[in-house]
Amino acid sequence: MGTYSQSQATTTGWSIRVKGTVQGVGFRPTVFTLANQLGISGKVINDGDGVLIEAFAPKATLEAFIQAIREKSPPLARIESITYKEITYKELEDTCVIATRTIPTSFAIDTSKSSTVATNIAADAATCQACLSEIFCQSNRRYRYPFTNCTHCGPRLSIIKAIPYDRAMTSMAAFPMCPDCESEYQNPKDRRFHAQPNACRVCGPKVWLEDKWGIEHASEHEAIDAIEAAANLLIRGEIVAIKGIGGFHLACAATNDKAVATLRQRKKRFEKPFALMARDLDLIKRYCLVSAAEESLLKSHEAPIVLLEQKKVVTREKLSDAVAPKQTTLGFMLPYSPLHHLLLQNLNIPIVLTSGNLSEEPQCTDNDEAKEYLAQIADFFLLHDRAIVNRLDDSVVRAAKDNSFEVLRRARGYAPTPIKLPPGFESAPEVLALGAELKNTFCLLQDNRAIMSQHMGDLEEAKTYSDYQKNLELYQNCFRFKAMRIAIDYHPEYLSSKLGRNLLAEIDPVQHHHAHIASCLADNGWPLEAGPVIGVALDGLGYGMDDSYWGGEFLLADYGSFERIATFRPVALLGGAKAMREPWRNAYAHIVTAIGWQNYFEQYAELELTKYFQTKPLATYDAMLKSKQNAPLASSCGRLFDAVAAAIGVCRAEMSYEGQAAIELEALVSSNALEEGEDQQAYPFVIENLGKKLPYIDSKSMWQALLSDLRLGTAPPVMATRFHQGLAKVIIAMVEQLSSGHDNGLSTVALSGGVFQNRILLELVKSDLTKKSYRVLTHRQVPTNDGGISLGQAVISAAGQIEKKERSHVSWHTWASR
């Protein structure tokens, strides 16, 4: 059958389907502009599958059109695929404005159509340069307007209620556009053409300043507007709660010791480092070393918090020591909304910008909620009336030595940008993976992509768990998602696991460390049929298949299965959950396990560490260790870090935030010793191979060397360095032993788990394995910590279903051929 009859015999009609992040990013206006430049007629619409284009022109022109779409797509667009087919006689009748088989004479943007959703929701994006110029131009109608945006920047996920992404489906529906904004919105040549959050001070959201008693102090209409007044308050030493894009922040001057200390005391965040925001890059460079890769991250449209190395000497406006106690890095970000740019315009110092909550609770998002919960923390509130639909924390990233980067917390700017599934997962069913207990995210597998939620937090906190359930419902509604399987953590007491069992009968429990490795594989696009790798999963705790606690695991793993092939020597968690908060418990348990208390006391009675132990009821703890009552064994590498930190005296009594001991131990490491390769005094570990038992890493010799250094008065930075070097060497040695002992040899290693947030350890292990010709896979798009677990759970569940389907297919053919 021909395409259609018509006078221009050379004209062809193509129906072009574009999938990916192509709604809410100025994609249709770009298509409109390109079509007009090339003389193409037809139309473009948004629908549930993405963007659909009907284009009429000579074939060569249409080919150039598709190439131009690929090359000139808007900055926030992410094209996953472009496909096309010719339009037939019947389709021409159905699609043309006049059903007489005549081709349209112009190109139009048509209204959105609602259908089964297979498109993406764009992530929130930092203010573009064009909008920034407008808010600082006195003759522009958006001068100092804090909600200025266009199709290249502004809120997306934070305001969306459903898709397709149109204004009616967002919290901007409450603000009808004025004639000027409407004119921009309807003009295909304007960069605000179909910009859904488009607004100005005439028709859009308003900002105002209140004190904690609810008395309004300034609005945007006064000589000193609310934002300028808030900046003056920060300079004066006040604490201001600021409603941002995805939630409230608490701000104070980062150079003001009293203000920072007061914020810590009121927020009950006593030692965990604060995030910082600075007006521009030059101001950040006053305090930190910034590489080209780090500069690119800071200035990107994702605008994350970037972890940067502190300068050793700062000549002026020194930051308060309380900003990041005992740290060698600072977490800086640049302003990412017009409100932030206006706030920091005249501030020559950085500000603390930390989440607006009590420690470990989710950010406040609602004005009334913030005034209720933050009134005991903030002195003033900078508020606005645009509703935040979806809470979004700031993302945290870190640049690697090879100029790549790794995401440590995936939230604003990155979520919910989908991750394309590796080859082999094309037929994956719709899977909902509910994630872990801590640093939770959840994940939807749909249409050959993984849609990961923003960082949720720790589900043990009631408000976080409630927010988690709300977001689960929102994502499933937005994507019209109906799970065929639910993947959960193997731990029976995780709240996410319990919820999963109540949601659906088709449940796939997934072992925690297998999920870590599968997440790393998917993050790197490892094909389904590529075979197993050696997975090194090091973290605090995960529930093992033998009903014990794991945390230092070497796995032979692919998506479909895993085998535990080596581990760390299990050591008791003295006091159970208390061992995760009080590092000294781990030090005592490790030392007693390694050399025994009597032997230790005879050799090291004079140590300050010994005197500390003697302040505890050791007879009771010895009985617990002997009986294993409230002292379960765990092969946890994370607890080993806690033990070493406590022994050295870095963080001994109690941690005020998760991972504090390990983070402070890493911060002690001597970069000079590492750069010069001084590992001859690295603390020794031993690999034990006992018959048919799993090979395991034993730390006995490490403890003897460390305790000897303590007795000699060796400097803590030297000891921390030797520990990191020794641990890296034994991990590499274990990988070499395991790969050489495998029948086919294994040359690919995947590194995952929260311990590999430790940059020193990660780079030592990765660089040395690479030198030994191993291919090393590490995380990039999703966190190596439990924030990446949901992706691993999802692909493991999907792989199981794909394998089951293939087996069924083979069995049917075998039966049919009889």
Side-chain angles (χ1 to χ4, degrees):
M1 185 178 185
T3 54
Y4 38 79
S5 64
Q6 80 121 23
S7 57
Q8 299 101 329
T10 59
T11 298
T12 301
W14 282 2
S15 175
I16 303 169
R17 164 65 64 194
V18 187
K19 290 187 176 183
T21 305
V22 290
Q23 293 187 13
V25 294
F27 200 87
R28 287 180 299 167
T30 299
V31 169
F32 176 89
T33 301
L34 293 173
N36 280 292
Q37 288 173 352
L38 293 169
I40 295 170
S41 62
K43 66 181 180 180
V44 58
I45 65 168
N46 279 347
D47 64 10
D49 289 317
V51 166
L52 180 64
I53 307 165
E54 289 172 358
F56 298 88
K59 183 178 178 180
T61 303
L62 293 178
E63 289 173 343
F65 181 46
I66 287 180
Q67 187 62 26
I69 291 172
R70 291 186 186 280
E71 294 176 353
K72 298 180 180 180
S73 63
L76 301 185
R78 294 196 179 197
I79 296 174
E80 293 176 2
S81 65
I82 301 180
T83 57
Y84 70 91
K85 64 177 182 177
E86 286 196 53
I87 298 176
T88 65
Y89 277 114
K90 179 67 171 65
E91 289 167 330
L92 186 63
E93 290 180 353
D94 292 342
T95 60
C96 287
V97 177
I98 303 173
T100 57
R101 298 185 182 180
T102 58
I103 293 172
T105 58
S106 62
F107 197 91
I109 294 179
D110 214 340
T111 55
S112 297
K113 291 184 178 179
S114 180
S115 60
T116 301
V117 175
T119 189
N120 302 333
I121 299 174
D124 296 68
T127 309
C128 71
Q129 193 58 49
C131 286
L132 202 55
S133 298
E134 290 174 345
I135 65 173
F136 289 120
C137 175
Q138 292 189 27
S139 62
N140 192 282
R141 74 187 191 91
R142 288 189 173 85
Y143 175 61
R144 293 191 63 81
Y145 184 58
F147 305 99
T148 300
N149 66 86
C150 69
T151 54
H152 299 159
C153 68
R156 296 293 190 276
L157 174 61
S158 61
I159 63 170
I160 198 166
K161 299 175 181 177
I163 53 177
Y165 176 70
D166 283 319
R167 193 178 185 99
M169 300 292 193
T170 74
S171 58
M172 286 301 294
F175 302 95
M177 283 182 280
C178 67
D180 286 338
C181 286
E182 183 70 31
S183 176
E184 294 169 333
Y185 185 86
Q186 298 296 346
N187 181 2
K189 296 181 180 180
D190 196 290
R191 78 174 195 282
R192 293 192 171 91
F193 181 51
H194 285 238
Q196 305 307 335
N198 189 29
C200 69
R201 66 176 68 254
V202 173
C203 63
K206 311 294 186 209
V207 64
W208 67 95
L209 182 71
E210 291 182 7
D211 63 26
K212 60 185 175 182
W213 293 282
I215 300 170
E216 188 170 319
H217 283 247
S219 71
E220 61 187 45
H221 301 293
E222 299 180 26
I224 297 180
D225 66 24
I227 298 173
E228 186 178 354
N232 291 335
L233 290 169
L234 292 172
I235 293 170
R236 205 171 76 191
E238 306 286 359
I239 296 170
V240 182
I242 300 169
K243 187 179 184 181
I245 294 285
F248 276 80
H249 287 95
L250 292 163
C252 71
T255 55
N256 187 317
D257 286 332
K258 182 179 179 182
V260 176
T262 300
L263 178 55
R264 284 206 175 278
Q265 188 273 327
R266 291 180 184 176
K267 184 175 162 67
K268 303 187 188 308
R269 181 168 169 161
F270 301 110
E271 294 173 292
K272 190 174 183 179
F274 280 141
L276 299 167
M277 181 178 277
R279 179 188 61 214
D280 53 36
L281 199 59
D282 287 341
L283 193 50
I284 293 176
K285 288 180 177 179
R286 182 189 297 172
Y287 301 97
C288 294
L289 302 172
V290 183
S291 69
E294 290 163 340
E295 180 173 336
S296 178
L297 286 168
L298 285 163
K299 295 164 72 174
S300 68
H301 61 75
E302 292 89 355
I305 297 168
V306 182
L307 298 184
L308 304 169
E309 184 179 349
Q310 291 188 49
K311 285 184 174 178
K312 290 183 170 60
V313 178
V314 177
T315 56
R316 59 197 181 99
E317 281 103 18
K318 184 176 176 293
L319 297 178
S320 170
D321 290 337
V323 165
K326 301 180 184 179
Q327 298 302 304
T328 57
T329 58
L330 293 170
F332 261 109
M333 56 185 155
L334 288 170
Y336 56 81
S337 76
L339 188 151
H340 293 135
H341 282 284
L342 293 167
L343 181 72
L344 272 70
Q345 179 184 9
N346 297 315
L347 289 183
N348 294 316
I349 57 170
I351 61 170
V352 167
L353 202 69
T354 187
S355 55
N357 55 6
L358 286 172
S359 189
E360 307 307 325
E361 291 185 357
Q363 271 183 304
C364 293
T365 56
D366 176 76
N367 290 352
D368 291 338
E369 174 195 29
K371 288 190 283 186
E372 178 183 355
Y373 287 102
L374 303 181
Q376 302 305 312
I377 304 175
D379 302 305
F380 291 87
F381 290 79
L382 186 61
L383 303 171
H384 63 74
D385 56 356
R386 185 178 68 200
I388 298 170
V389 178
N390 301 310
R391 177 178 61 85
L392 290 169
D393 292 279
D394 294 311
S395 293
V396 181
V397 304
R398 179 175 62 195
K401 280 189 174 180
D402 61 3
N403 290 329
S404 63
F405 71 95
E406 54 186 317
V407 176
L408 301 178
R409 183 169 72 198
R410 191 173 187 269
R412 178 192 51 75
Y414 294 99
T417 303
I419 297 164
K420 186 174 175 59
L421 293 180
F425 282 93
E426 291 79 7
S427 63
E430 293 201 339
V431 175
L432 172 61
L434 295 180
E437 189 87 341
L438 304 179
K439 295 182 173 65
N440 179 274
T441 61
F442 57 84
C443 180
L444 284 62
L445 285 199
Q446 184 185 62
D447 195 30
N448 199 33
R449 60 195 175 152
I451 304 161
M452 287 184 66
S453 75
Q454 67 270 32
H455 169 82
M456 292 283 108
D458 298 349
L459 299 188
E460 295 170 333
E461 212 292 318
K463 291 179 183 176
T464 303
Y465 184 62
S466 175
D467 193 51
Y468 167 72
Q469 292 175 296
K470 168 189 163 265
N471 278 276
L472 275 170
E473 183 177 357
L474 177 79
Y475 270 66
Q476 291 179 87
N477 288 340
C478 276
F479 291 100
R480 297 173 194 173
F481 179 87
K482 186 171 179 59
M484 297 175 64
R485 310 285 304 181
I486 289 184
I488 60 174
D489 194 278
Y490 188 68
H491 196 303
E493 294 303 315
Y494 278 3
L495 291 172
S496 54
S497 300
K498 290 179 177 179
L499 176 64
R501 290 190 176 92
N502 291 330
L503 292 176
L504 198 68
E506 290 74 20
I507 294 292
D508 292 320
V510 177
Q511 201 281 322
H512 190 85
H513 300 96
H514 186 202
H516 268 307
I517 300 305
S519 174
C520 185
L521 296 180
D523 197 350
N524 286 273
W526 186 259
L528 178 60
E529 301 299 332
V533 302
I534 292 178
V536 185
L538 308 180
D539 62 3
L541 282 180
Y543 201 64
M545 302 304 289
D546 58 0
D547 295 334
S548 69
Y549 293 109
W550 297 359
E553 309 310 317
F554 296 79
L555 309 179
L556 179 63
D558 56 18
Y559 296 109
S561 63
F562 79 96
E563 178 187 356
R564 189 189 194 200
I565 53 176
T567 187
F568 278 65
R569 182 181 181 181
V571 175
L573 296 173
L574 189 58
K578 286 185 176 181
M580 291 182 273
R581 299 188 295 270
E582 300 176 14
W584 71 267
R585 293 174 180 268
N586 299 294
Y588 184 75
H590 271 265
I591 289 170
V592 169
T593 301
I595 60 178
W597 173 255
Q598 190 60 39
N599 190 22
Y600 167 81
F601 188 77
E602 289 172 358
Q603 297 182 65
Y604 307 108
E606 77 283 3
L607 292 182
E608 187 270 335
L609 175 63
T610 308
K611 293 177 173 58
Y612 182 88
F613 284 150
Q614 288 178 312
T615 66
K616 308 296 181 181
L618 297 184
T620 300
Y621 294 133
D622 289 339
M624 289 166 61
L625 291 173
K626 185 175 181 179
S627 67
K628 298 180 182 177
Q629 291 296 314
N630 201 22
L633 294 176
S635 56
S636 171
C637 188
R639 299 291 80 80
L640 174 62
F641 270 85
D642 293 350
V644 170
I648 291 176
V650 177
C651 178
R652 180 176 291 167
E654 187 170 4
M655 292 189 287
S656 65
Y657 62 92
E658 186 200 1
Q660 180 182 359
I663 290 168
E664 292 183 0
L665 183 65
E666 178 188 0
L668 274 182
V669 172
S670 167
S671 57
N672 291 336
L674 290 175
E675 289 169 5
E676 294 167 11
E678 297 176 4
D679 64 353
Q680 66 271 20
Q681 290 185 294
Y683 290 149
F685 289 79
V686 174
I687 297 175
E688 294 286 358
N689 298 279
L690 301 177
K692 295 182 179 180
K693 290 185 177 181
L694 283 178
Y696 65 86
I697 292 172
D698 194 327
S699 60
K700 178 178 179 178
S701 54
M702 185 280 296
W703 280 109
Q704 290 171 326
L706 183 149
L707 292 169
S708 294
D709 270 353
L710 270 180
R711 185 166 53 192
L712 291 170
T714 304
V718 174
M719 299 169 70
T721 304
R722 290 174 178 174
F723 169 71
H724 279 78
Q725 290 172 322
L727 183 58
K729 288 178 72 173
V730 77
I731 290 168
I732 293 161
M734 181 65 89
V735 168
E736 289 184 292
Q737 175 179 307
L738 296 172
S739 62
S740 64
H742 193 266
D743 292 342
N744 300 320
L746 292 166
S747 59
T748 301
V749 182
L751 307 178
S752 190
V755 167
F756 282 116
Q757 287 183 124
N758 183 310
R759 183 175 181 174
I760 304 295
L761 182 68
L762 177 65
E763 291 182 350
L764 284 172
V765 172
K766 182 181 178 181
S767 62
D768 280 8
L769 284 174
T770 302
K771 289 175 186 175
K772 294 176 183 290
S773 300
Y774 289 93
R775 180 185 178 187
V776 183
L777 306 179
T778 59
H779 286 271
R780 288 291 179 264
Q781 303 173 84
V782 302
T784 188
N785 58 46
D786 281 6
I789 282 283
S790 62
L791 175 60
Q793 292 173 341
V795 292
I796 288 170
S797 174
Q801 294 307 303
I802 292 170
E803 182 183 359
K804 185 182 293 185
K805 184 178 180 181
E806 289 175 350
R807 283 202 310 265
S808 175
H809 186 69
V810 170
S811 298
W812 186 88
H813 275 281
T814 302
W815 176 84
S817 64
R818 290 176 183 174

